[in-house]
Amino acid sequence: MAGAARDVVATGRTVDEAVASGAGQLGIRPEDADIEVLEEGAKGWLGLGAQRARVRVARPSKGSAASRFIQQLATILGMEVDVDVQSPESEGEPWQVAVATEDAGRWIGHRGQTLEALRVLCDAAATRSSGSRDRLVLDVGGYRERREQMLRSMAILAAQRAIRLGREIVLEPMSPADRRVVHLAVQEVAGAESQSRGEEPGRRVVVRPLPTAEV
Amino acid sequence: MRELVEYLCRSLVEHPEQVTVTELEEEAGIVLEIRTASEDAGRVIGRQGRIIAAIRTLTRAAGQREGKRILVRLPE
């Protein structure tokens, strides 16, 4: 969607009409749009004092689209959620979407399976409505953050052990996202390297000492 | 549950007005059958079935509380 306008100011007899017109100009759905009401408009009486509604309609950012998706979903499921969106710090970095809810366990699922499903759908829906291919990281109840810390310390321990024993250590099968965390952590340990081996879903990380470390 | 699947599908496709989800009671449990515009079928399935798998996972999680078995089905 490069080059397409991000926002327009539109008018109509009512706010809804103005939003529909603005969304139409941007080629997006009214329900996907970010809306700022500039003037509510007034019906007037017998054509006197009528004032058109004015709104600013914007194509949503990836983060705003993701937040709306999660909130709509929560409404359908009858859940209360609080969604916090952090925009990327630099080009290529992901949007961080953190969801707080009383019912976090239900959205995380066994080993984070439900959270991963939610992320896949949230990313696909937000990509469609925002037109942005930026990456998206979704966390519920701080699960991903805790898991990342756990994986990191496990990876570092495995790397140290591989160096000490002078042989490779084979870890449990993990998702691609988890393996990425492990590879990054192992890179921080001098004298160790890691590699993925096997086929999904049994693909696992192997940590081993660098050949030079044996000298 | 029908509303959930319908919302998920509509948010993924180019023709949301052509999405219908029909609820059927079968011996195996409750079946939710998704229909979309033919050009949108791939958007609901996803590469290597990733999207439809995620829809099934989320529906299962949402249905757990009600203690019902829910199957999400696509037409052939």
Side-chain angles (χ1 to χ4, degrees), chain A residues 36-48:
Chain A
E36 183 193 346
V37 177
L38 304 172
E39 270 159 53
E40 291 274 356
K43 269 197 180 145
W45 188 69
L46 297 179
L48 293 172

Side-chain angles (χ1 to χ4, degrees), chain B:
Chain B
M1 224 42 61
R2 198 187 69 81
E3 201 188 351
L4 168 72
V5 174
E6 200 169 79
Y7 172 69
L8 293 175
C9 294
R10 290 203 167 138
S11 58
L12 297 166
V13 302
E14 291 298 324
H15 302 285
E17 71 289 350
Q18 290 186 49
V19 171
T20 59
V21 178
T22 317
E23 187 170 327
L24 308 160
E25 293 246 9
E26 290 187 8
E27 254 178 66
I30 294 173
V31 176
L32 295 171
E33 196 170 79
I34 303 170
R35 280 178 195 281
T36 66
S38 54
E39 61 185 279
D40 276 334
R43 294 190 173 87
V44 170
I45 296 165
R47 241 189 305 158
Q48 296 175 326
R50 244 160 63 98
I51 299 285
I52 188 68
I55 291 175
R56 287 183 171 130
T57 301
L58 208 60
T59 309
R60 209 178 307 127
Q64 250 166 20
R65 176 181 279 184
E66 295 172 28
K68 290 177 195 157
R69 194 170 145 75
I70 298 162
L71 303 162
V72 175
R73 194 187 285 160
L74 288 161
E76 296 297 302

Side-chain angles (χ1 to χ4, degrees), chain A residues 5-213:
Chain A
R6 263 199 67 92
D7 65 71
V8 292
V9 172
T11 64
R13 275 183 304 177
T14 62
V15 168
D16 281 355
E17 264 189 35
V19 168
S21 152
Q25 290 172 49
L26 290 173
I28 62 175
R29 293 184 209 163
E31 66 268 27
D32 289 338
D34 278 351
I35 297 154
E36 183 193 346
V37 177
L38 304 172
E39 270 159 53
E40 291 274 356
K43 269 197 180 145
W45 188 69
L46 297 179
L48 293 172
Q51 205 185 26
R52 288 172 74 77
R54 274 178 78 231
V55 297
R56 185 186 304 280
V57 179
R59 181 186 299 279
S61 67
K62 182 96 176 213
S64 165
S67 170
R68 190 165 303 128
F69 174 81
I70 296 289
Q71 267 155 3
Q72 291 263 15
L73 205 60
T75 305
I76 291 170
L77 296 172
M79 297 170 66
E80 297 251 352
V81 292
D82 192 32
V83 185
D84 177 65
V85 176
Q86 307 257 335
S87 44
E89 281 170 18
S90 57
E91 187 94 8
E93 290 291 304
W95 288 82
Q96 308 263 0
V97 179
V99 182
T101 168
E102 282 186 5
D103 231 351
R106 188 174 164 215
W107 284 41
I108 294 164
H110 181 61
R111 287 196 176 183
Q113 274 179 352
T114 312
L115 174 58
E116 178 56 16
L118 196 60
R119 189 197 63 79
V120 165
L121 296 173
C122 182
D123 196 348
T127 299
R128 185 202 53 75
S129 59
S130 68
S132 156
R133 301 210 160 266
D134 291 352
R135 281 192 304 134
L136 189 93
V137 172
L138 180 70
D139 203 352
V140 175
Y143 173 84
R144 192 169 294 278
E145 206 179 314
R146 287 195 304 277
R147 177 153 180 87
E148 198 170 311
Q149 277 167 11
M150 190 273 286
L151 285 169
R152 277 183 52 81
S153 46
M154 193 224 19
I156 290 168
L157 281 175
Q160 289 167 343
R161 195 152 159 253
I163 294 169
R164 199 173 62 239
L165 300 177
R167 65 172 175 83
E168 61 177 44
I169 308 259
V170 183
L171 303 179
E172 269 183 54
M174 284 174 211
S175 70
D178 285 356
R179 291 201 306 269
R180 186 164 181 269
V181 173
V182 171
H183 288 309
L184 288 173
V186 170
Q187 273 173 28
E188 290 171 24
V189 181
E193 64 178 4
S194 61
Q195 195 183 40
S196 292
R197 201 179 283 170
E199 295 301 318
E200 301 285 7
R203 198 161 162 81
R204 41 178 85 204
V205 177
V206 177
V207 185
R208 63 174 173 233
L210 279 174
T212 50

